[in-house]
């Protein structure tokens, strides 16, 4: 799976705690210069995965390659910026001292670390707090300091575990802009989140996990296009009368199921065995005047809920089948 255009390559990785499988046979690849999101509910295995990539945990099996052909470890760590889910700041240290400390840990000299600390504090608009202790800062400002600590050494690969958790909308937007700026600079960003709105705004590709397993993976645009082809169509008619006539005729047939209706729009789900061309033909046959007829691209949230729900349903069915075979 690994090649020179990948910053992260995870191949058949498994991590167990006793009989509990935290991550099971997981594989994905993060292209250099992209933003990649690992998505999933709490307990899906996201943090465990990122910790294995960062050499905090060792996988029981499988292989991880970073930044070409490096294994997780000291050499790779100097080129990685990591924001852990459980923030690792020292509350009694002053803000600038904290950033200099993290910069030196990542290989910067003290003078360079102090310069970079000043630049990041200014960029994150917390320079007025540079001489305060970390414990004096709000939770949002502390998260900005942690974010600066992850970026202070200008890493090639930025790994963020739930970076937007607990942030207000303004600070969330600041961090989003910095992530996109990192991508524009050719850096690679890998992050985990359960916040679909943030992920949809910035991800090139995503991996959806549930109960330690890979449920869905690929380019976000491809996943949205594939989901759109499953038959959700939005219709807008030339007038309210035309819409009422459609609802009483074509849209009352077994061909579709009404999802939502408003004064301006009707959204329908094509039923099994029916295609959008068939629906359009029936609307034309009834001489209904349309202003809009298009497949609706689903949100990432909808794709996520549908994917995780299907996986949960499959697991329940498998357990019931297994239970039936034993009785």
């Amino acid at each position: 799976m690994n090649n020179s255009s990948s910053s992260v390559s995870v191949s058949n990785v498994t991590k167990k705690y006793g009989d509990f499988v935290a991550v099971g046979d997981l594989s994905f690849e993060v292209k250099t210069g992209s933003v990649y999101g690992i998505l999933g509910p709490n307990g899906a295995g996201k943090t465990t995965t990122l910790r294995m990539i960062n050499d905090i945990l060792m996988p029981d099996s499988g292989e991880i390659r970073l930044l070409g052909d490096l294994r997780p470890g000291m050499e790779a760590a100097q080129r990685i910026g990591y924001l852990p889910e459980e923030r690792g700041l020292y509350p009694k240290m002053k803000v600038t001292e904290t950033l200099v400390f993290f910069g030196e840990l990542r290989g910067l000299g003290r003078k360079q670390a102090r310069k970079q600390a000043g630049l990041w504090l200014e960029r994150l608009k917390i320079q007025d707090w540079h001489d305060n202790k970390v414990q004096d800062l709000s939770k949002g400002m502390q998260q900005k300091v942690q974010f600066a600590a992850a970026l202070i050494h200008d890493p090639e690969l930025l790994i963020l575990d739930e970076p937007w958790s607990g942030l207000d909308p303004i600070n969330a937007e600041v961090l989003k802009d910095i992530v996109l700026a990192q991508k524009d600079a050719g850096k690679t960003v890998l992050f985990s989140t359960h916040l679909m709105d943030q992920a949809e705004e910035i991800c090139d590709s995503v991996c959806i996990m549930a109960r330690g397993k890979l449920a869905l993976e690929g380019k976000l645009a491809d996943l949205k296009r594939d989901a759109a082809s499953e038959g959700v169509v939005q219709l807008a008619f030339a007038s309210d009368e035309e819409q009422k006539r459609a609802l009483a005729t074509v849209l009352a047939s077994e061909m579709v199921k009404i999802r939502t209706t408003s004064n301006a729009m009707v959204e329908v789900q094509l039923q099994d065995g029916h295609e959008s061309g068939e629906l359009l033909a029936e609307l034309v046959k009834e001489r209904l005047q349309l202003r809009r007829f298009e497949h609706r691209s689903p949100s990432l949230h909808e794709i996520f809920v549908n994917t995780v729900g299907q996986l949960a349903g499959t697991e329940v069915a498998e357990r019931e089948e297994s239970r039936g075979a034993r009785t």
Side-chain angles (χ1 to χ4, degrees), residues 132-151:
N132 287 75
K133 291 181 179 180
V134 169
Q135 66 187 16
D136 297 334
L137 275 60
S138 68
K139 183 177 179 181
M141 286 193 288
Q142 287 185 24
Q143 194 151 339
K144 283 184 174 182
V145 173
Q146 186 82 63
F147 199 71
L151 283 159

Side-chain angles (χ1 to χ4, degrees), residues 22 39 73 76 84-85 99 121 123 137-138 143 170 180 202 208 210 213 220 242 257 259 294 296:
L39 316 178
E85 181 182 26
L99 294 181
L121 291 175
R123 187 170 183 179
L137 275 60
S138 68
Q143 194 151 339
I170 294 175
L180 292 175
I202 65 174
I208 297 178
K213 297 179 180 179
L220 181 55
E242 289 291 281
K257 178 181 179 181
R259 287 169 57 96
E294 68 178 11
R296 183 179 68 80

Side-chain angles (χ1 to χ4, degrees), residues 171-235:
N171 283 323
E173 193 71 15
V174 170
L175 264 61
K176 185 192 80 172
D177 290 344
I178 290 174
V179 166
L180 292 175
Q182 291 294 301
K183 175 189 172 181
D184 291 342
K187 309 299 178 61
T188 305
V189 182
L190 169 64
F191 70 93
S192 72
T193 188
H194 62 277
L195 302 175
M196 298 301 116
D197 290 345
Q198 291 289 353
E200 184 161 14
E201 289 184 7
I202 65 174
C203 282
D204 298 301
S205 299
V206 298
C207 157
I208 297 178
M209 296 181 66
R211 299 183 184 181
K213 297 179 180 179
L214 176 66
L216 189 67
E217 197 271 342
K219 292 182 178 179
L220 181 55
D222 292 343
L223 298 179
K224 289 172 71 71
R225 183 170 57 249
D226 291 345
S229 69
E230 293 175 3
V232 177
V233 179
Q234 286 185 335
L235 306 164

